[in-house]
Amino acid sequence: MTVNDDSFTNWKNREEIAESMIPLIGKLHRERDVTVLLHSRSLVNKSVISILKTHRFARQIAGEELSVTETLPFLEALTALDLGPSQIDIGMLAATYRADDRGLSIAEFTAEAVAGATGTEKIERRAPRDVVLYGFGRIGRLVARLLIEKAGSGNGLRLRAIVVRRGGEADIVKRASLLRRDSIHGQFQGTITVDEASSTIVANGNEIKVIYANDPSEVDYTAYGIGNAILIDNTGRWRDREGLSQHLRPGIDKVVLTAPGKGDVPNIVHGVNHDTIKPDAQILSCASCTTNAIVPPLKAMNDEYGVLRGHVETVHSFTNDQNLLDNYHKADRRGRSAPLNMVITETGAASAVAKALPELTAPITGSSIRVPVPDVSIAILSLRLGRETTREEVLDYLREVSLTSPLKRQIDFTTTPDAVSSDFIGSRNASIVDAGATKVDGDNAILYLWYDNEYGYSCQVVRVVQHVSGVEYPTYPAPAV
């Protein structure tokens, strides 16, 4: 047998093991509300190849690929436990077990590591929380995909309705088609059917009522059996408390805005200040995609080095707010053709930092250039630090933050030498540190942060909604603080 034959046989064996993991992961998710992760990446509803690729990501941690033969025993140990709703990272279980010298069996170690999710310590499965989407544009449809994907056992968030203005004949059919197919993010993973008579879209078994209204005052959500719901306004039409309060209609308990909030509306960046949300808060904002991209790395750098001042330059993909061809626009420059030009514009991300990260007192300035790509942007964060350091130290620190810290769902890290923007389409992190582009000179650091301004931001929105709804379940093993 040749070396190549050995490699192929090894690959087929790993495929077989990954295939055996799928029903175990699915059963834990459906029956116990347990989401199985591998170094913060969900393995729920993933294919054999996707599971193997996610294991390969572990090279960033130990310098070598994590094998499914190593993680399968931990997954099998989890199925034998009386688990409650939780997120369990089998990659971290494997890594911490490798470093443990007490001689425990995998079953014993696993039971100890996830003790908070078992027996009398486990939390009870919660009743599903209704969610309503007000608007169904780029962010609305991606949030819908994520909510449907995360419906799992049906005990988490449940998308009940979408509110839109009627666009004309066959409106619901066209909206369902836009949910089914996306030029950037690809096909919807599942099945979608439409019942025009009842104005309902059924996506992977989730019945979603399409409600036509021109104004929030026209809708009584209780008439559709919706109650205590969280409404996600992704129109951006209203951004202050007075305007967003119009959504607090019968059946709606809380309103979450997918744009920067104005006035006293709190701007929330999950992972940074989501724990400041008061239980009785009814109106909040998820800030902007760029704010979500820069605030977690800013917090990480400020915690470790101190930040004396900074400037962020965002090179941002074009959006629907711009014109395809030159035409009148109320804003300067945005009337010029988006696919044909780089367009200098403003960003409120820098000023929004103070709301999300008040402990950072350093002045942060910002500007933005829109460029002819449809998705994925990059924020160039130039910082004056409180102490001198080296490029190697900064990269080691940010790599560790991305893997083991409470910010690991927000910050990702790449060492790929040929990385370009399209590589990050579909990233679920708020931003990705590009190690190869990072520059450090004494107390000056420049970070290049990629971010999928559509999908990564939508993931952040859903995390905030999960938190305020009470279905953001604890993660085991607990990340280092």
Side-chain angles (χ1 to χ4, degrees):
M1 182 177 286
T2 68
V3 172
N4 285 338
D5 288 336
D6 286 341
S7 297
F8 185 69
T9 299
N10 177 264
W11 171 259
K12 300 303 288 184
N13 288 339
R14 285 187 292 150
E15 275 190 321
E16 185 177 355
I17 293 170
E19 194 171 59
S20 73
M21 297 173 80
I22 292 174
L24 302 180
I25 294 166
K27 188 173 183 179
L28 284 169
H29 188 56
R30 286 190 306 275
E31 296 183 3
R32 306 188 200 177
D33 263 2
V34 173
T35 300
V36 177
L37 310 173
L38 190 95
H39 294 302
S40 300
R41 287 157 165 76
S42 174
L43 296 182
V44 176
N45 292 329
K46 294 297 186 289
S47 67
V48 167
I49 297 300
S50 181
I51 289 173
L52 292 173
K53 286 182 68 175
T54 306
H55 277 73
R56 188 164 174 76
F57 168 77
R59 290 179 302 163
Q60 296 235 37
I61 300 164
E64 60 183 5
E65 187 172 339
L66 181 64
S67 174
V68 286
T69 60
E70 190 174 355
T71 56
L72 176 61
F74 292 95
L75 183 58
E76 291 172 334
L78 290 174
T79 62
L81 297 173
D82 179 25
L83 292 168
S86 55
Q87 300 184 101
I88 299 178
D89 195 319
I90 58 174
M92 291 303 295
L93 278 175
T96 51
Y97 179 71
R98 198 182 301 127
D100 191 87
D101 59 2
R102 292 176 295 164
L104 298 177
S105 68
I106 286 178
E108 292 168 335
F109 181 85
T110 302
E112 178 184 275
V114 302
T118 61
T120 58
E121 297 296 319
K122 69 181 181 182
I123 60 178
E124 294 301 317
R125 298 174 74 176
R126 296 181 174 91
R129 186 74 177 266
D130 290 350
V131 178
V132 173
L133 290 176
Y134 197 93
F136 205 48
R138 297 297 302 152
I139 300 302
R141 291 194 296 274
L142 291 178
V143 169
R145 285 188 175 201
L146 287 163
L147 291 171
I148 294 163
E149 170 195 302
K150 293 178 181 296
S153 64
N155 290 280
L157 301 173
R158 183 174 296 175
L159 178 57
R160 295 291 309 281
I162 297 162
V163 184
V164 292
R165 298 179 188 178
R166 187 180 292 277
E169 195 173 341
D171 180 278
I172 190 172
V173 173
K174 291 181 178 180
R175 294 188 189 277
S177 182
L178 286 170
L179 178 61
R180 186 181 290 115
R181 302 175 183 87
D182 190 281
S183 300
I184 296 169
H185 302 283
Q187 297 277 346
F188 174 80
Q189 296 300 302
T191 63
I192 293 175
T193 57
V194 176
D195 186 337
E196 290 188 79
S198 64
S199 192
T200 301
I201 295 173
V202 181
N204 290 357
N206 294 265
E207 293 189 4
I208 307 162
K209 180 68 69 173
V210 178
I211 302 170
Y212 293 103
N214 295 314
D215 189 82
S217 62
E218 298 179 8
V219 188
D220 177 357
Y221 295 95
T222 59
Y224 301 93
I226 296 169
N228 194 36
I230 299 171
L231 182 144
I232 303 173
D233 183 330
N234 54 85
T235 67
R237 184 177 173 188
W238 306 278
R239 297 194 180 190
D240 60 11
R241 186 171 297 276
E242 182 182 2
L244 293 168
S245 293
Q246 298 177 75
H247 290 303
L248 295 174
R249 307 277 300 153
I252 302 299
D253 180 56
K254 296 180 185 294
V255 179
V256 175
L257 171 65
T258 64
K262 295 182 177 180
D264 66 343
V265 175
N267 281 260
I268 303 300
V269 174
H270 191 276
V272 175
N273 68 334
H274 67 277
D275 56 357
T276 65
I277 301 173
K278 298 177 181 177
D280 60 350
Q282 287 191 290
I283 295 174
L284 55 92
S285 157
C286 289
S288 70
C289 56
T290 302
T291 302
N292 276 264
I294 66 173
V295 166
L298 263 175
K299 174 175 171 53
M301 293 299 286
N302 190 52
D303 287 349
E304 180 67 16
Y305 301 102
V307 173
L308 302 183
R309 66 168 49 250
H311 176 80
V312 59
E313 187 79 31
T314 68
V315 182
H316 200 290
S317 58
F318 65 79
T319 70
N320 274 329
D321 179 59
Q322 297 170 255
N323 291 334
L324 285 175
L325 294 172
D326 289 3
N327 203 358
Y328 174 80
H329 195 293
K330 64 181 179 180
D332 294 341
R333 306 183 200 252
R334 292 197 185 192
R336 301 300 298 279
S337 173
L340 298 178
N341 294 290
M342 293 190 292
V343 179
I344 297 173
T345 186
E346 72 284 343
T347 176
S351 59
V353 169
K355 273 192 168 185
L357 194 61
E359 66 265 31
L360 179 65
T361 57
I364 305 291
T365 58
S367 52
S368 178
I369 303 172
R370 296 284 179 92
V371 294
V373 293
D375 187 30
V376 180
S377 305
I378 190 166
I380 305 167
L381 190 58
S382 181
L383 303 175
R384 171 91 181 276
L385 304 178
R387 66 177 174 87
E388 293 193 354
T389 182
T390 66
R391 180 174 182 272
E392 291 71 24
E393 182 189 342
V394 169
L395 290 178
D396 284 346
Y397 169 65
L398 291 175
R399 172 179 165 277
E400 192 63 27
V401 166
S402 74
L403 295 171
T404 63
S405 83
L407 290 171
K408 63 184 181 179
R409 285 200 290 173
Q410 282 69 47
I411 301 174
D412 203 356
F413 188 91
T414 183
T415 57
T416 304
D418 291 326
V420 293
S421 60
S422 62
D423 295 333
F424 304 102
I425 292 174
S427 168
R428 296 184 178 226
N429 295 82
S431 61
I432 305 99
V433 176
D434 191 315
T438 300
K439 293 174 173 58
V440 179
D441 182 11
D443 59 357
N444 290 300
I446 303 176
L447 307 181
Y448 286 73
L449 308 166
W450 298 102
Y451 58 109
D452 184 328
N453 47 277
E454 294 185 337
Y455 203 77
Y457 176 68
S458 296
C459 289
Q460 283 287 89
V461 171
V462 170
R463 288 170 190 139
V464 170
V465 174
Q466 286 178 313
H467 179 76
V468 299
S469 69
V471 297
E472 185 180 41
Y473 298 134
T475 300
Y476 300 94
V481 178

